[in-house]
Amino acid sequence: MQKQFASILFGLASLSVPLAASPVYSNSSIRWQDCPLGITAPGSKTKCGFVTVPLDWDNPLKGTIDIGLARLPARRPESRIGSLFYQPGGPGYQGTDKVAHIETGATKWGDDLLDQFDLIGVDVRGTGLSHPLKCDPDLYNQELPVYPSTDAEFAARIERNAALRQSCLDLTDIPLIDYMDTVSIAKDHEAVRLALGDEPMNWFGVSYGTLLGSQYAELFPDNIRSMMLDGVTSLSQSEISVFLTSAVGVEAAFRGFLNWCKTQNETACPMAHYDQSKSLEEIWLDLMAQVEKNPLPCTDTKACRTPNMTVDGIRSQAYQLLYSESYFPYLAESIGYALTQNDSSVFAKYSFSLTFPSETRSAYNNSGAFSNLAIVCQDWYHNDRSAEDIKIKKILAETQTPLMMGFSPAYRLFQINCIGWPNATRNPPHKISIPRTNKMPTVLMVDSMYDPATSPAWGAQLRTEIGQDRTVMIFKNMTGHAVYEQPGTVGGEIAAVMEQYLVRLALPEEGKIFQS
């Protein structure tokens, strides 16, 4: 594909790039074209383009990379408000793919948003169309103890992490992995905004997209018309606080699943009728104790990646199926099959179908997983120096979360996979500090009450940092990660409130809990 690039002036002071060292480009509009790699179907209104930005915003002479994006034009141009940047999170979810899914209806959005906004999906640097990272998949998929308990296990984890990073350096044609921090990504988005015509930013960030949005606001508060954060992430908490709040969120979500299971018939949730002499909590813990001693066979050769699934693997798959209440039947089926057949194949089947996309675009798809690791290792601290450090975390988590035994996605994502990472944290944890300006809008923050991935406590923390007089925070009474795109949400009360905030800047009642 012949790429067409939008040029920008790298020396703009708003991007904090030294003018004297900046290559100079003339401004021009993005040349939109059909998206590559089958992202969209023939005849799609969604088109793709590219913007050129520095590899290193602090030293633009190190070279450039290309940021890929997709645009779905407003359906009613006469009512168009502007561009709505949609950041789906991950980090590493491809914005281009998400926009394509919204156009087809595979991801449902409200008519007001589609009618009045150009929808913009940017692939963050290192993902999708934005110079995708390439790393060794075998090293990435290597299974090691999540909680190293010996010096040898801890050393093996450090060796693997360092080797994985080195593979990214070796297989990607530039040292992109060392410039994947969120500040750099925020500046990339400002470059895209300028290339689109310098209109005020409308921001809808989900999960990691809430962190990216808040850091964009730190840098460019005068350039924002609206900012909505859904499934809020905080960068400021201590390492142990992030670990524990993450584990407690998973535990609360799993208890929500068990409460649902108790109301179901045997077909919908076999676990509830497996042993009437025991509670569901006891049945689950017995299964976990059994798998702890003897990993559960996985016999479906199409779905299973290993011949056995460990207890950690079972908890990991269960966690994935807590992302939405619509997944509860899949989790119930997986546990029921494990109990009655002594087989983890159904866990593996749903992990494959729900979590891993088609391999027909492997570089595009896999870059999301690799960039996820690169970003979090440059944004969060990972200060464990021995197996003893990790032992303390494990003890604390297991006492607080007896059902999921300390399963903490934040620990897995931000901490254990990053220990031994040889380069410094470029965007270290800090309290978000957005300058007070008359142009900065009130931020709408939205959380699920029982979010397994981003604890509502993180949202409450970010609210205090931005300022309680500059935010409105609302909730939906549900289990699942983020709110707007959950099945059944669009068309409900909270979705209407979210849409009207973006369209009219209308603010709901502070602290309201929505049921639909």
Side-chain angles (χ1 to χ4, degrees):
M1 178 192 69
Q2 181 66 37
K3 294 182 180 178
Q4 306 289 344
F5 301 106
S7 298
I8 64 169
L9 182 66
F10 286 157
L12 289 173
S14 62
L15 294 184
S16 302
V17 179
L19 183 60
S22 303
V24 177
Y25 295 79
S26 61
N27 288 314
S28 66
S29 61
I30 299 172
R31 299 179 185 177
W32 299 103
Q33 55 196 356
D34 290 341
C35 296
L37 302 175
I39 294 171
T40 55
S44 169
K45 294 180 180 179
T46 298
K47 302 299 179 182
C48 288
F50 295 84
V51 173
T52 303
V53 301
L55 170 66
D56 180 0
W57 279 100
D58 295 329
N59 185 357
L61 296 181
K62 288 184 179 179
T64 62
I65 57 173
D66 310 321
I67 300 299
L69 64 148
R71 180 182 67 175
L72 174 62
R75 296 189 305 201
R76 293 171 50 197
E78 71 279 4
S79 302
R80 178 183 177 276
I81 295 170
S83 293
L84 174 57
F85 281 68
Y86 172 55
Q87 217 303 316
Y93 291 151
Q94 292 85 354
T96 52
D97 213 30
K98 282 288 190 176
V99 169
H101 288 168
I102 291 167
E103 181 187 11
T104 64
T107 299
K108 188 170 177 57
W109 274 40
D111 288 336
D112 283 346
L113 300 183
L114 298 177
D115 286 344
Q116 298 182 70
F117 287 102
D118 292 346
L119 181 57
I120 305 297
V122 177
D123 291 349
V124 302
R125 53 172 55 202
T127 70
L129 301 182
S130 298
H131 211 110
L133 275 178
K134 297 178 182 179
C135 308
D136 186 333
D138 291 333
L139 282 171
Y140 182 87
N141 290 322
Q142 184 179 354
E143 293 190 8
L144 293 171
V146 176
Y147 291 108
S149 59
T150 66
D151 291 341
E153 288 179 350
F154 190 82
R157 171 64 71 167
I158 290 178
E159 181 180 357
R160 175 266 187 188
N161 291 352
L164 178 57
R165 174 187 171 275
Q166 187 61 46
S167 78
C168 302
L169 284 170
D170 293 342
L171 296 174
T172 308
D173 57 346
I174 57 174
L176 178 58
I177 194 170
D178 291 337
Y179 302 96
M180 292 286 293
D181 59 286
T182 295
V183 170
S184 296
I185 295 170
K187 292 179 179 180
D188 294 344
H189 279 73
E190 175 64 357
V192 172
R193 187 191 70 83
L194 290 170
L196 287 169
D198 199 13
E199 293 180 320
M201 167 75 76
N202 296 282
W203 183 269
F204 179 10
V206 178
S207 192
Y208 168 75
T210 68
L211 171 60
L212 178 55
S214 64
Q215 293 211 254
Y216 177 90
E218 275 193 305
L219 295 169
F220 311 109
D222 285 339
N223 299 344
I224 303 168
R225 174 189 171 272
S226 62
M227 177 162 286
M228 185 167 72
L229 310 179
D230 183 5
V232 184
T233 299
S234 166
L235 189 64
S236 64
Q237 298 180 73
S238 68
E239 191 170 330
I240 190 63
S241 177
V242 169
F243 176 87
L244 286 176
T245 52
S246 177
V248 169
V250 174
E251 182 86 354
F254 188 75
R255 288 187 183 278
F257 160 74
L258 293 182
N259 289 336
W260 169 87
C261 185
K262 292 172 185 176
T263 67
Q264 304 301 306
N265 61 31
E266 186 172 4
T267 301
C269 192
M271 178 187 187
H273 305 271
Y274 177 71
D275 186 343
Q276 298 295 320
S277 69
K278 295 182 178 180
S279 68
L280 294 187
E281 290 81 1
E282 289 172 323
I283 292 171
W284 169 256
L285 290 174
D286 285 349
L287 176 62
M288 293 299 95
Q290 171 193 330
V291 181
E292 184 83 61
K293 294 178 181 178
N294 299 295
L296 207 58
C298 196
T299 60
D300 185 334
T301 55
K302 182 178 179 181
C304 300
R305 290 185 292 169
T306 58
N308 298 290
M309 192 173 289
T310 65
V311 67
D312 183 69
I314 295 290
R315 292 192 189 107
S316 180
Q317 305 312 327
Y319 160 71
Q320 293 176 18
L321 295 174
L322 296 172
Y323 260 55
S324 172
E325 290 175 357
S326 67
Y327 295 168
F328 282 3
Y330 307 143
L331 179 54
E333 181 187 354
S334 300
I335 295 172
Y337 197 79
L339 289 168
T340 59
Q341 304 300 317
N342 193 44
D343 195 318
S344 61
S345 293
V346 178
F347 273 113
K349 177 181 72 172
Y350 286 124
S351 171
F352 183 85
S353 63
L354 293 174
T355 308
F356 299 100
S358 165
E359 291 303 310
T360 57
R361 299 177 294 171
S362 58
Y364 177 91
N365 292 330
N366 291 343
S367 64
F370 300 145
S371 66
N372 178 294
L373 178 66
I375 293 168
V376 299
C377 290
Q378 293 191 26
D379 276 6
W380 274 274
Y381 289 135
H382 31 88
N383 292 324
D384 293 318
R385 295 293 180 262
S386 69
E388 286 298 312
D389 292 340
I390 293 175
K391 180 181 178 180
I392 298 300
K393 288 182 176 178
K394 187 170 186 288
I395 291 171
L396 289 172
E398 288 179 350
T399 57
Q400 299 295 315
T401 60
L403 293 178
M404 292 298 280
M405 294 298 287
F407 186 94
S408 171
Y411 167 74
R412 292 154 185 267
L413 183 60
F414 310 157
Q415 297 175 18
I416 189 63
N417 283 323
C418 297
I419 58 171
W421 206 255
N423 55 321
T425 302
R426 285 175 56 89
N427 177 39
H430 63 279
K431 291 184 177 181
I432 296 296
S433 179
I434 300 174
R436 288 192 173 268
T437 166
N438 292 333
K439 292 185 178 181
M440 179 68 197
T442 299
V443 178
L444 180 61
M445 302 173 64
V446 187
D447 265 319
S448 159
M449 292 294 291
Y450 307 101
D451 192 318
T454 54
S455 168
W458 298 355
Q461 174 65 30
L462 183 61
R463 175 175 172 267
T464 65
E465 295 170 14
I466 295 176
Q468 297 176 8
D469 61 326
R470 298 197 290 170
T471 60
V472 170
M473 190 171 187
I474 59 175
F475 304 90
K476 186 176 181 184
N477 186 19
M478 56 165 277
T479 298
H481 180 38
V483 171
Y484 187 76
E485 291 184 346
Q486 288 286 341
T489 293
V490 173
E493 190 178 6
I494 195 169
V497 166
M498 296 168 75
E499 291 160 8
Q500 287 308 299
Y501 167 76
L502 290 171
V503 172
R504 299 192 297 110
L505 301 181
L507 292 169
E509 175 188 348
E510 172 72 58
K512 185 170 182 179
I513 301 174
F514 292 84
Q515 303 300 322
S516 69

